[in-house]
Amino acid sequence: MKKRLKASTREAIQRIFDRLDYMRLGPIYCDEGGEAFWNAKRGPCQKLGIKFAQVLLDRLKPEGRSLYVGAGVAELPILTMEVMDLHREVTAYNLRKEEVAVLNKACQGRGFRFLLGDAVNANRRFDHLWIVSTLNDPERFPELSALSYGRADPATFDPAAFGRERKAVRQLADHCLGRLILPGLVTTSVEEIPWITDWCAKRGVPCEVEEDDYPTAIVEDPICFIRIGCKDSEG
Ligand SMILES: C[S@@+](CC[C@H](N)C(=O)[O-])C[C@H]1O[C@@H](n2cnc3c(N)ncnc32)[C@H](O)[C@@H]1O
């Protein structure tokens, strides 16, 4: 039988979402229409987050460690589950100063906080890496993101900028995957799979992408699991 989140975890998630300052989050997530965006997304984000937290609950062992790269509102239910249901340690990075302040205010006293900064500063080892809609972040990697989502305009695409962005993405992926204790688990978006499998292929590390993917409410990229370094994984 599938595990369910504890009632106290669901309640904590509800409280955290109630405490979020949606007025401040509006301009962080949208150029315009932030209020309407959060009115529409707040409920589904919480609901899909809880659903996914339950899926992840079955795959993580208690008392391990997770690294979150580019964690925002969408990750709140998952982080809460890891800390409250599994007593795991979580390290969550985000580059947006204002968002980190809003998130930390909402989850104060919940046993985790967001770190403002680049995940290349992560120096511990982890058994789970969460990297969702980050290796194709349109703010940091505009050309690469356009290509990755199939929106690149051949008339204006800048291959030199793309080359620089790809180098930065490879460095980020290399650093974070290098912190993973093997066998380990990666949660990522379907669009980011190539970065993970490319890293594994270049190092001869076996990996296996799980067949199922799961919907998300904010960026709306479906997410999936990749098992890295398992003996029975294909190379
Ligand atoms: C498109 S948002 C996705 C947020 C969230 N994961 C989601 O799915 O809704 C990308 C996020 O990645 C963060 N980011 C990009 N590069 C990063 C890095 N090197 N270290 C930490 N955060 C990073 C950005 O600050 C931003 O918060």
Side-chain angles (χ1 to χ4, degrees):
M1 206 175 82
K2 274 206 179 337
K3 290 184 201 152
R4 276 177 62 80
L5 297 194
K6 292 192 296 196
S8 54
T9 307
R10 289 167 173 271
E11 199 181 312
I13 294 168
Q14 180 67 55
R15 296 274 167 276
I16 292 169
F17 273 79
D18 288 347
R19 288 191 66 184
L20 282 171
D21 185 338
Y22 294 97
M23 294 302 280
R24 276 173 83 188
L25 284 174
I28 300 169
Y29 276 75
C30 313
D31 291 334
E32 49 190 46
E35 199 180 339
F37 176 85
W38 282 112
N39 281 340
K41 298 285 187 180
R42 177 184 167 162
C45 179
Q46 200 175 324
K47 203 169 150 196
L48 288 180
I50 288 175
K51 264 192 160 174
F52 190 76
Q54 262 159 198
V55 177
L56 186 59
L57 182 61
D58 269 336
R59 286 167 172 75
L60 292 179
K61 63 177 192 314
E63 291 167 20
R65 268 202 303 271
S66 292
L67 171 62
Y68 283 72
V69 186
V73 175
E75 280 79 6
L76 284 167
I78 332 287
L79 289 161
T80 311
M81 174 281 287
E82 285 217 37
V83 170
M84 289 188 66
D85 290 68
L86 293 173
H87 310 287
R88 289 172 57 88
E89 223 178 278
V90 293
T91 305
Y93 284 94
N94 183 322
L95 296 174
R96 299 163 172 165
K97 191 174 178 190
E98 179 80 352
E99 184 176 17
V100 168
V102 173
L103 293 167
N104 281 339
K105 200 165 177 202
C107 64
Q108 205 170 12
R110 300 291 177 187
F112 64 91
R113 58 191 299 277
F114 291 79
L115 301 176
L116 175 64
D118 197 313
V120 292
N121 294 312
N123 52 18
R124 313 238 358 227
R125 305 289 311 276
F126 305 87
D127 59 34
H128 171 226
L129 169 65
W130 174 288
I131 189 157
V132 171
S133 306
T134 296
L135 297 172
N136 46 13
D137 179 3
E139 279 173 26
R140 266 206 88 193
F141 311 117
E143 295 297 319
L144 186 147
S145 168
L147 190 74
S148 181
Y149 287 111
R151 293 194 293 252
D153 177 346
T156 56
F157 187 73
D158 180 344
F162 169 76
R164 288 190 296 273
E165 290 172 19
R166 180 164 61 180
K167 194 172 167 204
V169 163
R170 281 218 169 104
Q171 278 170 351
L172 179 59
D174 185 20
H175 180 80
C176 297
L177 287 162
R179 310 311 305 157
L180 195 65
I181 298 164
L182 301 184
L185 183 70
V186 175
T187 306
T188 193
S189 72
V190 168
E191 287 80 4
E192 288 158 289
I193 292 173
W195 299 111
I196 314 297
T197 51
D198 178 64
W199 184 89
C200 291
K202 286 197 170 116
R203 286 156 186 82
V205 176
C207 69
E208 188 180 355
V209 182
E210 283 194 19
E211 260 178 36
D212 293 335
D213 56 60
Y214 305 85
T216 61
I218 297 191
V219 182
E220 295 182 348
D221 292 340
I223 51 180
C224 65
F225 296 109
I226 308 180
R227 294 188 181 276
I228 314 262
C230 296
K231 281 197 198 86
D232 52 353
S233 307
E234 284 166 29

